[in-house]
Amino acid sequence: MIAPWASEVNFVKLIYTKETANSAQVVLILAHGAGAPADSPFMEALACALEQEGIACVRFEFPYMQKRRDDGRKRPPDRQPKLLDCFSEVVDQVKGALGPDIRLLVGGKSMGGRMASILAADKPGIDGVVCFGYPFHPPGKLDRWRIDHFSSIPVPMLVLQGTRDPFGKPDEVRERVSELGGVSVQWLEGGNHDYSAPVRLKRSQQDLIDEAASETMRFVQQAIIGRTD
């Protein structure tokens, strides 16, 4: 559903869940990953699960993904400065529309979550960060960690990571715990990068998406709404 107050930002349309229009107190701006759009099955399921927990979502697409939607040609992600500029403008647009009293979180799937965390390290007006499958490092490349900025993030941040995620497994991440700063990591048992799990665990992708949404609300209640500083 396209928000009436946000037709275009950098030519990127905003998609919001119904809760956003119903005086929501907590809104999460949710960015997509590198290869799938804002309305992919995963993003749709995640936004719906978050809304059921009481967290309204606003989704958008980075410029390269919008171009792909327009002409059908696959493209690599834009360079980081362009991604961050787009994300920053979306934050400004949403805050301007919903007012200063809203609790505003940024986050996303994989690359989208990484961009959210980098943005939160520098941009004021963000209350928290939630990442759904963080790309701690490229698969198999443990010499290329992407956590240098974690210690500079001034707001609470939660990562919801599958235990089978090749972009960062439990033993790998625990070895770097001293570099995580104040970032919390919640593990989803059996989940891959897209939260799919082995059949033997009798847990569906939707089960893990629902668990991630529930943990996100717990995080919001404890670390965002409950903050006294």
Side-chain angles (χ1 to χ4, degrees):
M1 188 174 185
I2 304 301
W5 40 262
S7 57
E8 290 185 351
V9 177
N10 271 3
F11 304 104
V12 179
K13 294 185 177 182
L14 306 186
I15 307 170
Y16 72 109
T17 51
K18 292 183 293 184
E19 187 67 27
T20 316
N22 296 330
S23 301
Q25 295 181 331
V26 179
V27 172
L28 169 60
I29 300 178
L30 192 60
H32 59 80
D39 60 353
S40 69
F42 179 92
M43 294 291 284
E44 290 279 1
L46 179 59
C48 289
L50 288 165
E51 183 177 34
Q52 289 177 356
E53 291 289 339
I55 300 172
C57 293
V58 178
R59 285 172 285 158
F60 72 97
E61 290 182 344
F62 293 110
Y64 79 96
M65 187 61 71
Q66 185 62 49
K67 289 178 182 177
R68 187 174 93 169
R69 185 179 295 277
D70 291 341
D71 62 18
R73 292 174 51 199
K74 288 189 176 182
R75 294 173 170 80
D78 300 306
R79 293 186 179 276
Q80 182 172 304
K82 189 170 184 177
L83 296 174
L84 293 175
D85 283 348
C86 175
F87 211 145
S88 180
E89 289 195 27
V90 171
V91 169
D92 292 341
Q93 181 85 4
V94 172
K95 284 193 73 72
L98 299 182
D101 296 331
I102 198 74
R103 298 294 183 100
L104 184 67
L105 285 72
V106 294
K109 176 75 179 77
S110 194
M111 181 200 74
R114 182 184 175 214
M115 291 303 108
S117 67
I118 295 172
L119 183 67
D122 294 316
K123 188 174 181 65
I126 293 171
D127 295 301
V129 185
V130 186
C131 301
F132 302 91
Y134 189 85
F136 286 98
H137 58 74
K141 298 181 179 179
L142 296 177
D143 59 335
R144 292 176 54 188
W145 282 78
R146 298 158 169 165
I147 57 175
D148 289 348
H149 64 290
F150 276 15
S151 61
S152 301
I153 299 173
V155 296
M157 174 171 157
L158 173 67
V159 173
L160 294 143
Q161 194 85 351
T163 57
R164 297 188 306 122
D165 193 330
F167 288 83
K169 296 180 179 179
D171 57 341
E172 299 166 350
V173 174
R174 286 170 188 146
E175 288 181 358
R176 297 271 182 156
V177 67
S178 63
E179 302 171 49
L180 298 184
V183 175
S184 299
V185 181
Q186 182 70 36
W187 296 99
L188 305 177
E189 184 61 36
N192 207 323
H193 195 52
D194 64 353
Y195 293 175
S196 59
V199 175
R200 60 180 172 79
L201 291 183
K202 298 181 180 180
R203 305 189 73 197
S204 68
Q205 181 189 49
Q206 186 63 57
D207 289 336
L208 292 187
I209 288 174
D210 290 343
E211 181 180 340
S214 177
E215 291 296 337
T216 300
M217 176 50 86
R218 190 192 307 274
F219 166 74
V220 167
Q221 291 172 334
Q222 296 179 351
I224 309 298
I225 296 177
R227 284 185 79 184
T228 58
D229 59 327

